[in-house]
Amino acid sequence: MQDSAPDGPSPVTADETTLAEGTTVDHLTETYRAHYRSLLGLAALLLDDVASCEDVVQEAFIRVHSARGRVRDPEKTLAYLRQTVVNLSRSALRRRILGLKLLSKPMPDMASAEEGAYVSLERDALIKAMRGLQRRQREVLSLRYFSDMTEAQVAEVLGISLGSVKAYGSRGIAALRVAMEATV
């Protein structure tokens, strides 16, 4: 009786060698030349700017080139490229959406940049005017208006009478008005 299975390795046919080799670099180059524009058009349907489309198509060719040994049927190379373009386009859109969600949104009552600059200039002018006041006037106004203390609390902190706090405060505000009007 004869064995039904041969003893040595089975003969390899031409079709099996093509499957084992995968997509060749030459085939991928030909696919690039023939289908680059159509793949770019596919990406353009999914994305909104040319640069992103070109990046996606180039990345698709790079990825298929890297995995060309796994593409067993060279006739499916274009299908793999199309699917890769679609997947990369989706990823690009997801990154954009995530980026937009993570951007800080200005509060509705936030001042514009111009208003912010104006406020900064006013604050600088106020600080300069405050430095020009007498020491006690500056102390009383700082504690009263910037630290939000009552006149009695200011008197206690500075160790002066309530009447002195009122007098220094009144004179300090008058001096500030004059100084601020001079800067305008």
Side-chain angles (χ1 to χ4, degrees):
M1 233 174 148
Q2 280 187 323
D3 278 342
S4 58
D7 287 20
S10 61
V12 177
T13 63
D15 288 338
E16 289 174 334
T17 359
T18 307
L19 291 176
E21 289 176 5
T23 301
T24 64
V25 174
D26 291 337
H27 178 68
L28 196 57
T29 304
E30 289 173 26
T31 305
Y32 178 86
R33 287 186 185 133
H35 298 285
Y36 176 78
R37 291 212 183 269
S38 67
L39 291 169
L40 198 58
L42 174 62
L45 292 172
L46 302 169
L47 297 170
D48 56 353
D49 64 301
V50 176
S52 295
C53 295
E54 290 173 344
D55 290 345
V56 162
V57 173
Q58 291 295 328
E59 182 65 24
F61 273 101
I62 290 168
R63 289 188 182 192
V64 170
H65 178 271
S66 298
R68 68 184 184 281
R70 292 189 306 240
V71 181
R72 297 191 179 268
D73 185 0
E75 299 303 316
K76 293 185 179 179
T77 302
L78 184 57
Y80 281 108
L81 281 166
R82 285 184 182 134
Q83 188 61 50
T84 305
V85 166
V86 169
N87 290 341
L88 290 171
S89 296
R90 286 179 185 159
S91 294
L93 289 174
R94 274 193 298 271
R95 280 191 303 276
R96 286 183 191 172
I97 290 169
L98 182 62
L100 290 173
K101 286 181 182 177
L102 294 178
L103 283 177
S104 63
K105 295 180 180 151
M107 299 300 287
D109 59 347
M110 282 184 63
S112 69
E114 293 83 11
E115 290 176 47
Y118 185 70
V119 167
S120 178
L121 289 173
E122 281 184 329
R123 185 175 44 243
D124 291 344
L126 178 63
I127 290 170
K128 186 177 177 184
M130 286 286 289
R131 287 184 182 144
L133 296 177
Q134 294 176 3
R135 181 180 59 88
R136 279 290 188 198
Q137 291 174 346
R138 187 173 50 247
E139 291 171 348
V140 167
L141 292 179
S142 295
L143 292 173
R144 178 77 175 100
Y145 296 103
F146 295 107
S147 296
D148 202 26
M149 292 182 172
T150 64
E151 291 173 334
Q153 291 170 327
V154 172
E156 185 180 331
V157 168
L158 293 178
I160 58 177
S161 70
L162 185 60
S164 294
V165 170
K166 290 180 182 184
Y168 284 125
S170 177
R171 290 185 201 125
I173 289 175
L176 277 179
R177 278 193 186 116
V178 170
M180 293 299 288
E181 287 174 4
T183 61
V184 177

